[in-house]
Structure formats: structure tokens, C-alpha cells
């Protein structure tokens, strides 16, 4: 049996699939990831993305943070690819219970997924740090310098920056989904960013599929590994 046939069988036999993914899920939508060859890390900026996207940097160099953020983290024209769409279809068909994502691009929801647990927040939600007023991503994209609310407060994306903690409610829901899952599909993530990557330890089932171009520290635990583009792999899965 080929790897893709095994994947199809495992999906057919599962009713509580949980997908755990990262930046690699959106590269086929034209959104660069951080660590692979043509990812954000290899591009020329004065500091690495992990420094710029940190809480300290946001506080001390807010204008420079936003220069990078507007240029690199707001691909608002990007559209869901075959991976996002297939995961939404699996949820609609009753095979998948949750998508747990480290991505902040909102593409799973754009594809129609409903139970999306965004470990690192979303670029689509932004708040005034003084009065709490909500702003959409378009407001940030069109802003110049440091985006400010009418009240004068600085607007901050609802994105978990490095040094910031994850939302407790999102973590609890992710843990619950993982504990009850009968198939875990991990894809498009280097599994290098903690605590997010550590969450998959809560999976109690037997079958783990890993769909990732590069090796990860978790490869030894996966019963099935596919090193092909995730959009192509999931795109070829038949549902129902
Ligand atoms: P990462 O950049 O560390 O790793 C991405 C992984 O995906 C790599 O191992 C690579 O081999 C694999 N990959 C890339 N394209 C692929 C494809 N088409 N098919 C299969 N595999 C593919 O990403 P990460 O683990 O998510 O960690 C980076 C952090 O950066 C996360 O916290 C995430 O929130 C953030 N980030 C988000 C976005 C986004 O929202 N789209 C983009 C860049 C970074």
C-alpha cells in the first residue's frame, strides 16, 4: 500500500481527527514560513523575525515592529489552498473535530473551518491598548507608522508575540480535542516553537501522520510520514 493509500484508509476509519499545523500549511497560498529555505528567516531584515515579533521589541521599537509586520505578516490577499479546504470539508463531513493552528493568517476560517483553535492569535483582530476598541487587519495594513486609536492609544494585534503567554482557554480546548482524538495529523510545522509544539503530547491515540517537507523532532513517533507539499497530499484525499 502506498503512503497516500494508508493516509486515506486511516482518515476513512476516523471520526475524531485533529489537525495540528503551522506556517507550512499556508506556503502553498503564497505566505512564506519562518524556517524553510525560502522562509522569512532567510530574507534580509536587520533583526531575525523572532526578535522583531517579540513583546520587548514591540514595546521599545513599535514603529519598526509595524514596518516588518505590515510588510511580512499581513498577506491579506492570500487565499486558502487545497489543504485548508480539505480540512474544512473533513469537518463538515463529521470526520474532524478541530484544527489547532500556530498560524495567524485566518486562512482555515476563510476555507470554512469552524472549530479553529488559534494558538498564536490572529492578524484579523486588533485592539486599542488603552480603550479596547476593535480594529480589523485592513486598518493596520493601511496605517502609517504606529497605528493609533481615536483615543490616542496604540493599537496592538491580537497575536501572541514571543515572550507572551498563550491563551488559557484556547490551550484547554486544544488539549481536550487532542485527548479525545482518534487520529492526529501534524503538518507544515517544524515543531520548534514552544509551548505550542508540546501540546501534541496530549494526544492519546495510536495513529499519528506527519506531513512535512523537512524532518521534525517528532518524526520517530509518527506511524506515517509524507514529505510532500501538504496541499497536494490533503488535496488528493477523498471525503465521505
Ligand atoms: P516553521 O516556519 O518553523 O516551519 C514550517 C515547516 O513547514 C517546515 O518544517 C517546512 O519544512 C514545512 N513546510 C513548508 N511548506 C510546506 C508545504 N507546502 N508542505 C509541507 N510542509 C511544508 O513554522 P511553524 O512551525 O508554524 O513555526 C513558526 C511560527 O511562526 C509559528 O508560531 C507561526 O505562528 C508563525 N508564522 C505564521 C505564519 C502564518 O500565519 N501563515 C507564517 C509564518 C510564521
Amino acid at each position: 500500500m502506498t503512503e497516500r493509500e494508508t493516509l486515506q484508509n486511516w482518515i476513512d476509519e476516523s471520526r475524531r481527527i485533529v489537525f495540528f499545523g503551522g506556517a507550512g500549511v499556508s506556503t502553498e497560498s503564497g505566505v512564506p514560513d519562518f524556517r524553510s529555505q525560502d522562509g522569512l528567516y532567510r530574507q534580509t531584515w536587520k533583526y531575525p523575525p523572532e526578535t522583531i515579533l517579540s513583546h520587548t521589541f514591540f514595546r521599545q521599537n513599535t514603529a519598526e515592529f509595524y514596518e516588518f509586520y505590515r510588510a511580512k505578516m499581513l498577506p491579506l490577499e492570500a487565499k486558502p489552498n487545497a489543504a485548508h479546504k480539505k480540512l474544512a470539508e473533513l469537518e463538515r463531513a463529521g470526520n474532524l473535530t478541530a484544527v489547532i493552528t500556530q498560524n495567524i493568517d485566518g486562512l482555515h476560517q476563510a476555507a470554512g473551518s469552524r472549530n479553529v483553535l488559534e494558538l498564536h492569535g490572529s492578524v484579523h483582530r486588533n485592539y486599542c491598548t488603552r480603550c479596547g476598541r476593535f480594529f480589523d487587519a485592513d486598518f493596520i495594513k493601511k496605517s502609517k507608522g504606529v497605528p493609533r486609536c481615536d483615543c490616542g492609544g496604540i493599537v496592538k494585534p491580537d497575536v501572541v508575540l514571543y515572550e507572551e503567554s498563550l491563551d488559557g482557554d484556547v490551550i484547554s480546548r486544544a488539549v481536550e480535542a487532542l485527548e479525545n482524538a482518534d487520529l492526529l495529523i501534524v503538518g507544515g510545522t517544524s515543531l520548534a516553537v514552544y509551548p505550542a509544539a508540546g501540546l501534541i503530547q496530549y494526544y492519546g491515540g495510536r495513529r499519528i501522520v506527519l506531513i512535512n517537507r523537512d524532518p521534525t523532532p517528532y518524526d520517530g513517533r509518527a506511524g506515517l510520514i509524507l514529505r510532500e507539499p501538504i496541499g497536494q497530499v490533503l488535496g488528493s484525499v477523498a471525503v465521505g
Side-chain angles (χ1 to χ4, degrees):
M1 207 183 299
T2 66
E3 284 150 355
R4 289 209 188 186
E5 283 165 350
T6 305
L7 175 65
Q8 183 70 56
N9 284 349
W10 286 12
I11 288 176
D12 291 345
E13 289 165 12
S14 306
R15 287 293 168 273
R16 296 183 309 280
I17 301 171
V18 167
F19 178 80
F20 183 97
V25 176
S26 294
T27 54
E28 287 162 84
S29 294
V31 184
D33 63 13
F34 274 2
R35 284 178 192 79
S36 49
Q37 214 163 18
D38 47 6
L40 281 180
Y41 273 8
R42 313 282 169 119
Q43 299 171 11
T44 359
W45 286 83
K46 230 160 66 189
Y47 307 94
E50 269 170 351
T51 303
I52 302 177
L53 297 172
S54 71
H55 184 79
T56 306
F57 197 89
F58 179 83
R59 265 202 358 255
Q60 296 176 348
N61 310 70
T62 316
E64 209 173 337
F65 168 92
Y66 269 113
E67 210 179 300
F68 175 86
Y69 185 83
R70 271 189 294 260
K72 290 288 163 202
M73 305 305 291
L74 284 177
L76 301 183
E77 65 298 334
K79 299 270 183 294
N81 64 48
H84 301 104
K85 288 180 191 162
K86 191 63 62 157
L87 291 167
E89 206 182 325
L90 284 165
E91 184 186 31
R92 274 196 302 274
N95 296 77
L96 179 142
T97 55
V99 168
I100 305 173
T101 183
Q102 299 164 85
N103 291 349
I104 54 177
D105 55 28
L107 289 177
H108 285 293
Q109 290 91 332
S113 281
R114 279 175 307 229
N115 193 23
V116 182
L117 303 173
E118 295 174 309
L119 298 172
H120 294 159
S122 172
V123 299
H124 295 286
R125 301 185 296 267
N126 305 275
Y127 294 96
C128 170
T129 51
R130 189 181 292 172
C131 73
R133 185 176 155 195
F134 172 85
F135 294 87
D136 64 13
D138 214 39
F139 171 84
I140 304 289
K141 188 85 179 178
K142 288 181 179 147
S143 64
K144 301 262 181 299
V146 177
R148 284 186 185 271
C149 177
D150 289 345
C151 80
I154 292 173
V155 178
K156 183 177 182 293
D158 186 13
V159 160
V160 180
L161 300 177
Y162 290 95
E163 304 162 355
E164 290 179 345
S165 45
L166 273 57
D167 182 278
D169 179 53
V170 175
I171 294 183
S172 314
R173 289 165 61 203
V175 167
E176 196 189 331
L178 284 162
E179 283 176 344
N180 293 311
D182 56 4
L183 175 64
L184 172 62
I185 305 178
V186 179
T189 172
S190 61
L191 294 173
V193 177
Y194 279 79
L199 277 178
I200 52 182
Q201 292 168 17
Y202 289 96
Y203 174 58
R206 280 182 306 119
R207 290 173 167 174
I208 299 174
V209 182
L210 209 114
I211 310 169
N212 208 60
R213 237 172 27 203
D214 298 302
T216 79
Y218 207 67
D219 287 10
R221 284 205 54 197
L224 179 63
I225 299 181
L226 294 103
R227 297 230 176 279
E228 297 162 83
I230 190 160
Q232 285 178 27
V233 174
L234 289 181
S236 71
V237 165
V239 180

